[in-house]
Amino acid sequence: MTGLRIRQAVRAVLTTPDHSVLLVRFEFPSATVWALPGGGLDPGEDHETALHRELTEEVGISDADLGPHIWTREQIIEFIDGEWDGQRDQYHHIEVPSRFEPAPALTWEQLRAERLHELRWWTIDEIDEATRSGTRFAPGRLGRLMRSLADDGVPGAPVDTGV
């Protein structure tokens, strides 16, 4: 697809030993979506630099040991501001020793300006149940991806998550 303006982004799959994962709730005019923390690359940033910045801003982690690139997702959808035609996400797995209370460096006013309204730990079973009840996740098959990560471990090469 040539000519499309694709925003490059990076996200963190923060998991605990019991396979809980930290998600963020985005509020868009058309939908509420639970996704993984992260965001777009600023000019001149590489994926690792951007992910460190995003984790500090959204979660309050400034020294994360970034794990491997495990998933990739591309979505073609016009952004609300009309600046982008879609986004390509690169997901990195990061293991944490336990659930922690996120302490974003950005204020909640700043986070809400980016449409981020909540941070919450989820179990795989909770994701599966919420999916069946109509809750939207990004990627859409997050429960299956998380179950595969828990059962099979980190994939040998990045997996295309689908939309």
Side-chain angles (χ1 to χ4, degrees):
M1 295 184 190
T2 59
L4 291 176
R5 300 162 299 157
I6 303 298
R7 178 181 186 230
Q8 297 299 314
V10 62
R11 300 200 172 277
V13 184
L14 289 159
T15 61
T16 63
D18 71 353
H19 309 294
S20 294
V21 62
L22 185 65
L23 300 179
V24 297
R25 178 174 54 92
F26 289 102
E27 292 291 338
F28 299 108
S30 60
T32 296
V33 179
W34 285 92
L36 294 140
L41 277 63
D42 285 343
E45 280 186 323
D46 60 24
H47 286 83
E48 289 185 5
T49 302
L51 188 52
H52 277 291
R53 177 183 49 76
E54 289 286 345
L55 285 171
T56 299
E57 291 175 355
E58 293 181 0
V59 180
I61 297 176
S62 59
D63 58 352
D65 183 17
L66 302 185
H69 171 197
I70 60 168
W71 303 334
T72 302
R73 176 179 185 249
E74 184 169 291
Q75 181 179 18
I76 306 301
I77 182 170
E78 187 175 343
F79 277 44
I80 295 167
D81 63 10
E83 186 176 345
W84 303 100
D85 299 315
Q87 181 163 297
R88 184 174 299 117
D89 289 307
Q90 179 173 301
Y91 294 86
H92 286 264
H93 185 233
I94 300 172
E95 295 178 280
V96 296
S98 62
R99 290 183 182 203
F100 58 87
E101 187 64 35
L106 296 180
T107 67
W108 278 102
E109 183 178 332
Q110 291 169 311
L111 291 169
R112 286 187 181 98
E114 295 183 7
R115 303 189 184 283
L116 192 156
H117 288 260
E118 183 180 357
L119 293 125
R120 179 183 152 204
W121 290 96
W122 290 71
T123 66
I124 297 169
D125 289 340
E126 288 171 331
I127 293 169
D128 289 343
E129 184 178 328
T131 300
R132 286 190 295 275
S133 298
T135 300
R136 288 186 58 184
F137 293 94
R141 60 186 191 114
L142 182 60
R144 285 181 279 164
L145 291 161
M146 289 301 304
R147 184 133 349 253
S148 176
L149 185 61
D151 293 346
D152 305 326
V154 171
V159 172
D160 182 346
T161 67
V163 177

